[in-house]
Amino acid sequence: MSTERGDREMERHNEDFDGYGFLKPGVAWNPDKAQAIASLLGLTDLTDQHLAVARKLRAHYFAHRTILPPNLLCEELELNEACLDDLFDGPLHAWKIAGLPNPGEEARVYLDNQTLDQQVKSG
């Protein structure tokens, strides 16, 4: 499912999401919410690895209010360097499934470009 179409689906299905498919501030996140988000984005059942990534993203974001670079995230969790692409179809979906708020236009572009860069490298 394309990111744009997934965003529209999320907004239509649940008022917990903003127009870009991110959880709105104040909406509670838990593994069940993560699975619901993943399903709306067209991903299958989340594994322990998915949830470990989501928790790491959340911990870093709430401690530093920044994006943890994907290569560092994967390295810290001892996963291959393309773990976000392998598990989530890219960092933007990982961010959404982790239940993190809309990071703003510049960060959304950065996250989306990380996926494009990985596709070019592997393509």
Side-chain angles (χ1 to χ4, degrees):
M1 174 180 294
S2 76
T3 299
E4 183 179 322
R5 193 169 123 224
D7 295 345
R8 286 194 310 266
E9 286 291 312
M10 292 171 83
E11 186 177 23
R12 191 172 72 227
H13 279 89
N14 193 326
E15 56 191 41
D16 290 345
F17 302 102
D18 70 10
Y20 292 98
F22 296 93
L23 277 184
K24 291 180 180 175
V27 175
W29 181 90
N30 59 45
D32 290 334
K33 179 68 84 175
Q35 182 59 62
I37 296 166
S39 294
L40 288 170
L41 292 171
L43 299 175
T44 58
D45 291 335
L46 298 181
T47 65
D48 290 340
Q49 282 185 333
H50 289 97
L51 293 174
V53 168
R55 287 184 177 109
K56 183 72 172 174
L57 281 171
R58 292 178 61 77
H60 182 84
Y61 175 79
F62 290 115
H64 305 286
R65 298 287 187 215
T66 62
I67 296 170
L68 180 60
N71 60 325
L72 294 178
L73 170 74
C74 296
E75 182 179 317
E76 288 182 20
L77 292 173
E78 299 180 359
L79 299 171
N80 73 59
E81 71 177 38
C83 73
L84 295 183
D85 296 310
D86 294 345
L87 294 170
F88 297 95
D89 295 330
L92 194 58
H93 280 173
W95 189 267
K96 289 177 179 183
I97 291 168
L100 294 170
N102 188 331
E105 183 176 354
E106 186 175 335
R108 281 194 320 270
V109 170
Y110 168 79
L111 291 169
D112 205 27
N113 284 340
Q114 293 298 306
T115 301
L116 296 174
D117 289 347
Q118 185 61 35
Q119 289 172 352
V120 168
K121 287 178 187 175
S122 65

